[in-house]
Amino acid sequence: MRTLVCFLLVWGLLVLSVMGKSIPERPEPARFVNDYASLLAESEAAELERLLLRFDSATTNQVVFASIQSLDGETIEAYAQKWAEDWGIGQKEKNNGVFVLLAKQDRAFRIEVGYGLEGVLTDYESSLIFQLHVLPHLKEGHFFQAFYACAEAILHEIEPTFKLRKEYSPLGNKQWEDEYKVNIPPKPENLTRITDFPDWLSEGLESTLETDILAFEKEYRGNLFFVILPEDWNKEGETLSAVAREIMYEWTLGESMEGKIVVVIDPNTFDLEVSDYWPSFLSSRELTLEDQEGLRKTFREFAEEQKYYGGIKRLINQLGKLQRAKIERVKQQLADWRKEQERPERSWLDVVLDGFLLLLLTLAALIILYILFNFASEAGVTSSGSNSYSSSGSSYSSYSSSSSSSSYSSSGGGYSSSFGGGSFGGGGSTGHW
């Protein structure tokens, strides 16, 4: 009986050491956006995929997003690291991968950083990205906004000078062009703060609004642009959201200051979309869906009466009020976060007591091991080298570049995206909402 009990004990330990939530099989071809929890619309996933594809093409740094329903008892830190290693995110020689995991039911969010990027995307920066860019959107249940804001912030931290210009697009790859290309109006040769394709405004009114915009930029340290699209802007079935983001990147707007806001207006429906970005050290990703809806309502009231000048002027004023409120909120969030991170000073007595407690725990563990060893010896259980195993909590075998490579390519394509076997050491940050 004692022999059976001991056998079951050893067998149970072996089972527990290898059990755990399984990692999803990597899709073929590999994807940068893997929405297993079905949190994103198809167009949203494509928009985020396009951003990450271009970043990989331009820099070879790979940022991969995934969502799941539940961790099933696993810690998100261990599971995210194992997933990232298992898929081999990043280049094997550079270890330049970042893996972002969201577990919906656990309300947990993890940014896992590869060895090669831990110097530029530190644990502190990862924590700030979550607090300032991700958390506000998650609290409102806006998962796409949380993912996209997180992606932009990570890309900015890794490559502050990164611009999504056309030379970074994987041109020549028909699959990419058919699935991800967004058609936008050509960039004007003499770009100003207001681009008015349908000629709503006279030169004098544009000049007056430019003065208001420059005052806004001086106060809030962010570039502000208005783009009134041509009437046939969506002849290819583009969405206003995708066009707004593409204009911000393709036209390379907002280079002279830290932040940028681009307001894109549909001249047919008087709808508008605001695409904005603010790096971690300035603010959170500013506008919520409710903020944008308020801006749409404000502008539509003026535009329906063809008061376009008054509508844009009111938008500038409303954006200023939102910026002031957001800045104050960010300052408060930072203050609260720093307060949570502060640790009270410990007296020498606390240190001695902690050391004494650690010593007692160590002795207790040794005694338990000694008892178990004697118990196993008496039961006649011996250990051979064939039954031994090892476990490491910080390292997992990674795919080699030959076994893990998968590509987006076509017969005419010159672009290939591969997960090359990057390694992860547990760097990053975890957040909950």
Side-chain angles (χ1 to χ4, degrees):
M1 183 65 182
R2 294 174 64 184
T3 302
L4 178 61
V5 171
C6 191
F7 173 77
L8 291 175
L9 177 63
V10 174
W11 181 84
L13 290 173
L14 286 170
V15 171
L16 288 174
S17 69
V18 299
M19 284 181 63
K21 183 177 175 63
S22 61
I23 303 298
E25 291 186 11
R26 189 179 59 203
E28 297 294 344
R31 291 280 178 176
F32 291 92
V33 181
N34 303 273
D35 184 23
Y36 296 106
S38 301
L39 304 179
L40 307 178
E42 186 176 344
S43 60
E44 293 173 338
E47 191 171 343
L48 181 58
E49 183 84 16
R50 178 172 58 250
L51 175 68
L52 301 175
L53 272 168
R54 287 184 169 183
F55 188 65
D56 175 35
S57 176
T59 68
T60 75
N61 298 306
Q62 296 180 336
V63 183
V64 175
F65 281 74
S67 69
I68 56 175
Q69 285 292 342
S70 173
L71 292 165
D72 295 332
E74 289 262 12
T75 65
I76 194 168
E77 293 85 0
Y79 190 59
Q81 182 185 353
K82 184 179 179 182
W83 189 331
E85 289 271 3
D86 204 34
W87 280 22
I89 298 168
Q91 305 301 318
K92 187 174 183 180
E93 299 78 11
K94 299 179 180 180
N95 296 317
N96 57 343
V98 178
F99 180 55
V100 180
L101 176 63
L102 182 148
K104 183 180 179 182
Q105 294 180 11
D106 303 270
R107 303 177 71 85
F109 192 93
R110 175 70 179 172
I111 301 175
E112 187 73 23
V113 182
Y115 280 118
L117 295 177
E118 288 182 353
V120 293
L121 187 59
T122 64
D123 294 356
Y124 175 76
E125 289 293 343
S126 298
S127 180
L128 279 184
I129 287 173
F130 175 77
Q131 293 290 332
L132 299 180
H133 296 265
V134 179
L135 184 58
H137 295 299
L138 290 180
K139 286 182 176 179
E140 297 171 359
H142 300 150
F143 296 106
F144 170 67
Q145 286 74 18
F147 274 0
Y148 206 96
C150 181
E152 286 189 318
I154 289 173
L155 269 52
H156 180 82
E157 292 297 337
I158 296 175
E159 295 285 345
T161 60
F162 175 62
K163 300 291 187 299
L164 287 173
R165 294 193 176 95
K166 285 189 176 180
E167 58 262 30
Y168 296 147
S169 304
L171 300 179
N173 186 312
K174 190 175 186 305
Q175 176 185 349
W176 189 94
E177 291 179 353
D178 291 344
E179 189 169 356
Y180 299 114
K181 184 178 179 181
V182 176
N183 295 292
I184 59 174
K187 180 180 178 180
E189 293 184 4
N190 299 316
L191 183 65
T192 60
R193 293 296 189 271
I194 299 178
T195 301
D196 180 15
F197 283 104
D199 293 326
W200 277 358
L201 306 170
S202 66
E203 290 186 8
L205 292 179
E206 281 193 26
S207 178
T208 302
L209 290 173
E210 289 255 2
T211 302
D212 293 341
I213 292 173
L214 292 175
F216 173 95
E217 293 182 342
K218 183 178 180 181
E219 182 172 357
Y220 300 110
R221 296 297 302 161
N223 291 124
L224 175 60
F225 293 87
F226 287 86
V227 179
I228 308 169
L229 296 172
E231 293 181 355
D232 62 347
W233 68 271
N234 63 342
K235 59 185 178 182
E236 300 294 333
E238 312 290 2
T239 65
L240 193 59
S241 172
V243 169
R245 295 187 194 279
E246 197 77 359
I247 285 177
M248 182 169 67
Y249 290 123
E250 291 286 356
W251 288 13
T252 61
L253 302 178
E255 296 184 4
S256 62
M257 294 187 179
E258 293 90 344
K260 49 190 172 184
I261 303 174
V262 181
V263 182
V264 177
I265 299 173
D266 180 354
N268 304 306
T269 64
F270 306 133
D271 192 10
L272 63 83
E273 186 74 27
V274 182
S275 185
D276 63 337
Y277 172 71
W278 300 85
S280 300
F281 60 87
L282 262 186
S283 173
S284 66
R285 191 171 192 269
E286 297 299 336
L287 297 176
T288 66
L289 296 182
E290 287 75 15
D291 294 334
Q292 293 214 33
E293 192 56 42
L295 293 170
R296 291 189 185 99
K297 183 179 179 181
T298 295
F299 180 74
R300 193 174 286 117
E301 290 175 354
F302 283 85
E304 287 176 349
E305 299 180 6
Q306 297 186 345
K307 298 178 179 179
Y308 306 123
Y309 167 80
I312 295 176
K313 189 175 183 67
R314 181 63 63 87
L315 286 178
I316 296 171
N317 293 334
Q318 194 164 340
L319 282 167
K321 292 179 181 178
L322 288 171
Q323 291 295 323
R324 283 192 291 273
K326 301 287 186 179
I327 290 172
E328 291 302 318
R329 187 184 72 177
V330 169
K331 288 180 179 178
Q332 186 60 48
Q333 287 177 341
L334 279 173
D336 294 343
W337 181 80
R338 289 189 178 116
K339 188 175 181 180
E340 291 177 359
Q341 301 301 312
E342 290 178 356
R343 297 181 179 178
E345 294 186 4
R346 305 177 66 201
S347 66
W348 64 271
L349 182 60
D350 293 330
V351 176
V352 172
L353 290 175
D354 286 350
F356 182 69
L357 179 60
L358 180 61
L359 178 61
L360 288 178
L361 291 174
T362 303
L363 290 174
L366 291 174
I367 292 171
I368 292 172
L369 289 174
Y370 178 75
I371 293 173
L372 290 175
F373 177 77
N374 286 338
F375 179 76
S377 298
E378 292 175 3
V381 178
T382 58
S383 175
S384 66
S386 61
N387 292 329
S388 63
Y389 67 97
S390 63
S391 174
S392 172
S394 61
S395 179
Y396 297 82
S397 61
S398 60
Y399 280 43
S400 66
S401 57
S402 60
S403 64
S404 65
S405 62
S406 60
S407 64
Y408 293 85
S409 62
S410 64
S411 58
Y415 177 72
S416 175
S417 174
S418 303
F419 294 165
S423 296
F424 292 73
S429 177
T430 299
H432 296 83
W433 75 97

